[in-house]
């Protein structure tokens, strides 16, 4: 039959997904690892954690699938974006990987944007944020010059695993686009940015398309896991791009809403869009196209906080059991999910969440519904930016993550987004996208569209907008948008007082 393996290198675990030519999920295996925080705001991992996890997953798959070693044909990757991996002249790791959620680089971000902000935005199409790779490089230059002097090669996490498996060092467009070093249009490292910040381009990896074969599994791993075939290894992609691909978004007709701890609203883009940094804009894993992405920092996190604070002892099902009995708008109650700051469209670390309109009528069910509505409104901010730029309306939106697990919330999404909401039959996240890259790269399919038809299945049960509810939500959304400017200065003052 033949298998492909998608390796999804996440922040807290590595998952391996095995699929066959018919698009069937054969099995999966996960290995966890921890995040090191040696100082406040620091978030690090040693790349060796990922190698150990990869070996654990490969061992488990070999034991679980009788013919895995004989039938594995190709491997590709999905990986956490932005995190900085540094190697020395002998390919040794010279400093722990600084992760995407590390926030030590606020000063460096300010320096970059003050010195070169307009040019950075023009070249990379993105504002530089703490999570991105360039400010991490500057932090090393300024705070660890003895380490920086040893660096001979820089790469991103999934690319390190590609190097471990093949001995070859590469990156690819979708991940490189999140470094603040990459020219999105030219699909090449930016000479201007590198020269401005004293980065020798020789330390940057060669960049290839996501479908490029970067090598074959080396003899060490082939012998260790008894691989019978020469297993091809393909470059892979950034986790959000792979998640969109794994959800079947291969053209502009669909958008993706993903609600985990944070929330993402993303769409397929065939041309450069002028978002002026209000949305992330990156090269896609699909050849010669892009994707845009809005981020709500506390999506599922807002619901978790609400449950842990006001619904202790309740399951999520119990907490949300009565929300359908509450009319849209929660009887005059609005929630803004800014409990850890916000990313899209405000980029404001000091804004904080709020309930607006509380009175004596409101019970737990009203607050619970308001939280769901507020999270969805925050994601609508990204939808509106995308649709305005494209002068179009998404008719279908694929919902994944926690927001796809509750029928009442799915109906709210349909009503607030004013679009049909569809869900995946089997939701495996970015790992499926990595499998699809391996399958297309291995010539199982001529393109991603034909691969999608085999690898992605949707539930027949969909959610259509209720016209009356949608009309109500359109008015409520206009009020929701007024909360941020009305509370911005108050929240900043409160934050400053709390810090002093």
């Amino acid at each position: 039959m033949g298998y492909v393996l998608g390796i999804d290198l996440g922040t807290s675990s590595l998952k391996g997904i095995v699929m066959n030519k018919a698009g069937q999920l054969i099995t999966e295996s996960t290995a966890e690892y921890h995040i090191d925080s040696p100082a406040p705001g620091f978030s690090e991992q040693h790349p060796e954690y990922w190698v150990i996890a990869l070996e654990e997953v490969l061992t488990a798959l070999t034991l679980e699938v009788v013919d895995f070693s004989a039938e594995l044909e190709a491997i590709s990757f999905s990986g956490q974006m932005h995190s900085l991996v540094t190697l020395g002249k002998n390919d040794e790791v010279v400093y722990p990987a600084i992760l995407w959620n590390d926030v030590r680089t606020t000063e460096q971000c300010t320096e970059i944007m003050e010195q070169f902000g307009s040019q950075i935005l023009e070249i990379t199409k993105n504002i530089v944020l703490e999570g991105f790779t360039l400010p991490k490089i500057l932090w090393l230059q300024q705070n660890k010059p003895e380490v920086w002097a040893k660096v001979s090669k820089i790469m991103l996490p999934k690319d390190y695993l590609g190097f471990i498996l093949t001995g070859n060092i590469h990156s690819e467009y979708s991940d490189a686009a999140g470094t603040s070093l990459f020219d999105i249009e030219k699909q090449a490292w930016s000479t201007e940015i590198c020269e401005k910040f004293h980065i020798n381009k020789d330390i940057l990896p060669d960049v290839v398309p996501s479908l490029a074969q970067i090598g074959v599994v080396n003899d060490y791993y082939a012998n260790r896991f008894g691989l019978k075939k020469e297993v091809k290894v393909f470059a892979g992609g950034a986790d959000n791009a792979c998640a969109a691909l794994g959800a079947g978004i291969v053209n502009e007709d669909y958008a993706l809403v993903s609600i985990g701890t944070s929330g993402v609203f993303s769409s397929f883009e065939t041309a450069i869009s002028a978002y002026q940094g209000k949305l992330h804009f990156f090269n896609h894993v699909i050849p010669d196209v892009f994707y845009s992405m809005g981020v709500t920092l506390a999506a599922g996190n807002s619901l978790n906080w609400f449950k842990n604070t006001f619904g202790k002892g309740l399951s999520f099902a119990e907490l949300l059991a009565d929300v359908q009995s509450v009319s849209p708008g929660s009887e005059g109650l609005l929630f803004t999910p800014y409990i850890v700051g916000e990313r899209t469209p405000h980029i404001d670390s000091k804004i904080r969440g709020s309930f607006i309109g509380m009175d004596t009528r409101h019970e737990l069910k009203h607050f619970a519904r308001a939280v769901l509505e507020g999270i969805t409104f925050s994601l609508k901010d990204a939808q509106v930016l995308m649709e305005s730029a494209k002068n179009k309306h998404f008719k279908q939106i694929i919902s994944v993550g926690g927001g796809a697990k509750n029928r009442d919330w799915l109906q709210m999404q349909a009503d607030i987004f004013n679009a049909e909401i569809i869900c995946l039959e089997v939701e495996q996240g970015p790992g499926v996208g990595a499998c699809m890259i391996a399958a297309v790269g291995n010539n199982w399919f001529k393109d991603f569209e034909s691969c999608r038809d085999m690898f992605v299945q949707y539930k027949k049960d969909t959610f259509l907008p209720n016209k009356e509810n949608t009309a109500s939500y359109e008015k409520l959304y206009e009020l929701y948008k007024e909360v941020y400017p009305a509370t911005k200065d108050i929240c900043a003052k409160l934050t400053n007082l709390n810090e002093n």
Side-chain angles (χ1 to χ4, degrees):
M1 171 63 83
Y3 299 135
V4 292
L5 171 61
I7 297 170
D8 178 23
L9 173 58
T11 310
S12 58
S13 66
L14 181 144
K15 178 186 284 189
I17 294 177
V18 180
M19 300 184 77
N20 63 18
K21 288 184 179 180
Q24 296 171 317
L25 175 66
I26 302 302
T27 192
E28 63 179 88
S29 180
T30 301
E32 296 182 349
Y33 35 77
H34 62 276
I35 296 173
D36 298 322
S37 185
F42 284 37
S43 182
E44 300 177 349
Q45 282 170 341
H46 198 287
E48 185 64 19
Y49 299 169
W50 310 330
V51 177
I52 293 170
L54 174 64
E55 293 176 354
E56 288 179 6
V57 164
L58 288 172
T59 299
L61 295 175
T62 302
L63 293 173
E64 187 170 343
V65 182
V66 175
D67 58 350
F68 175 79
S69 297
E71 294 297 332
L72 181 63
E73 297 183 10
I75 296 173
S76 193
F77 310 91
S78 161
Q80 50 165 296
M81 296 179 69
H82 314 308
S83 305
L84 174 64
V85 180
T86 50
L87 300 186
K89 63 181 180 180
N90 296 316
D91 295 333
E92 77 281 14
V93 175
V94 297
Y95 195 80
I98 305 176
L99 301 190
W100 64 274
N101 56 355
D102 186 288
V103 293
R104 75 183 74 175
T105 58
T106 300
E107 291 183 9
Q108 287 72 32
C109 290
T110 301
E111 175 186 339
I112 292 166
M113 293 307 295
E114 287 180 349
Q115 292 184 10
F116 212 58
S118 59
Q119 294 97 321
I120 288 272
L121 182 57
E122 176 64 26
I123 294 167
T124 72
K125 313 307 176 189
N126 293 282
I127 292 172
V128 178
L129 301 173
E130 284 89 346
F132 288 16
T133 317
L134 174 59
K136 303 181 197 308
I137 294 173
L138 264 63
W139 186 91
L140 274 183
Q141 290 176 345
Q142 296 167 4
N143 294 275
K144 298 286 183 179
E146 73 284 2
V147 172
W148 180 249
K150 298 177 183 178
V151 175
S152 65
K153 193 64 68 175
I154 282 169
M155 65 181 71
L156 295 151
K158 73 173 194 331
D159 305 324
Y160 182 74
L161 289 187
F163 163 65
I164 290 297
L165 285 178
T166 69
N168 301 321
I169 296 177
H170 296 84
S171 191
E172 49 71 49
Y173 304 148
S174 70
D175 229 357
T179 62
S180 296
L181 289 164
F182 195 67
D183 189 313
I184 295 276
E185 293 186 79
K186 294 180 181 178
Q187 296 185 341
W189 300 116
S190 168
T191 300
E192 298 92 330
I193 297 173
C194 288
E195 289 179 351
K196 176 66 178 179
F197 297 104
H198 311 293
I199 299 168
N200 187 334
K201 287 178 73 174
D202 289 343
I203 72 172
L204 300 174
D206 292 336
V207 187
V208 298
S210 296
L211 285 170
Q213 183 179 338
I214 61 171
V216 297
V217 174
N218 59 36
D219 289 343
Y220 172 79
Y221 281 102
N223 292 331
R224 179 170 176 177
F225 295 101
L227 304 179
K228 305 303 182 186
K229 299 179 180 181
E230 184 177 75
V231 178
K232 300 174 183 177
V233 181
F234 296 92
D239 53 4
N240 286 298
C242 286
L245 177 61
I249 299 178
V250 295
N251 56 51
E252 289 189 291
D253 295 334
Y254 301 90
L256 175 72
V257 60
S258 174
I259 299 176
T261 301
S262 60
V264 171
F265 193 102
S266 63
S267 73
F268 187 100
E269 306 262 3
T270 57
I272 299 290
S273 294
Y275 294 122
Q276 300 302 313
K278 291 183 179 179
L279 292 169
H280 296 317
F281 190 88
F282 300 127
N283 299 84
H284 212 314
V285 295
I286 301 171
D288 302 318
V289 298
F290 312 90
Y291 72 100
S292 56
M293 182 175 74
V295 177
T296 296
L297 291 181
N301 192 22
S302 290
L303 185 59
N304 284 332
W305 161 80
F306 180 74
K307 175 181 174 293
N308 293 336
T309 305
F310 300 105
K312 287 183 178 179
L314 298 178
S315 66
F316 282 108
E318 290 169 334
L319 181 71
L320 304 178
D322 296 326
V323 296
Q324 81 281 1
S325 68
V326 179
S327 60
S330 304
E331 296 188 23
L333 185 61
L334 276 175
F335 171 72
T336 57
Y338 308 145
I339 60 174
V340 294
E342 190 53 304
R343 177 72 60 83
T344 303
H346 307 300
I347 311 181
D348 189 340
S349 63
K350 293 188 175 182
I351 191 66
R352 290 295 179 265
S354 56
F355 283 104
I356 302 290
M358 289 180 284
D359 66 32
T360 56
R361 295 173 299 160
H362 294 132
E363 304 172 10
L364 181 65
K365 62 184 180 181
H366 297 92
F367 284 92
R369 184 177 182 105
V371 169
L372 300 183
E373 291 175 337
I375 294 167
T376 312
F377 281 143
S378 71
L379 291 163
K380 186 176 179 67
D381 282 336
Q383 178 195 15
V384 169
L385 284 169
M386 294 173 191
E387 292 184 339
S388 297
K390 295 178 178 181
N391 192 27
K392 67 170 290 184
H393 176 71
F394 296 118
K395 294 182 179 179
Q396 288 186 317
I397 296 174
I398 300 166
S399 183
V400 300
K405 292 178 169 61
N406 181 278
R407 294 182 62 85
D408 295 316
W409 198 356
L410 286 166
Q411 186 59 54
M412 289 180 216
Q413 292 173 51
D415 295 338
I416 291 173
F417 296 138
N418 191 20
E420 181 181 11
I421 300 296
I422 57 180
C423 300
L424 295 170
E425 190 69 48
V426 178
E427 187 181 317
Q428 290 293 338
V432 172
C435 282
M436 293 172 69
I437 292 171
V440 176
N442 199 40
N443 295 318
W444 283 6
F445 304 94
K446 65 178 182 177
D447 53 33
F448 283 118
E449 286 84 354
S450 54
C451 183
R452 186 269 310 272
D453 293 340
M454 292 295 289
F455 273 55
V456 184
Q457 290 81 41
Y458 302 105
K459 293 181 179 179
K460 295 180 180 179
D461 189 13
T462 67
F463 296 81
L464 295 170
N466 177 298
K467 291 184 179 180
E468 184 177 340
N469 291 350
T470 295
S472 296
Y473 279 129
E474 287 176 355
K475 296 175 183 177
L476 289 162
Y477 177 62
E478 294 304 313
L479 294 175
Y480 170 87
K481 290 191 295 182
E482 294 182 25
V483 177
Y484 173 77
T487 60
K488 180 179 185 297
D489 290 343
I490 295 172
C491 288
K493 291 174 183 177
L494 286 170
T495 301
N496 290 337
L497 281 174
N498 190 48
E499 290 175 348
N500 293 329

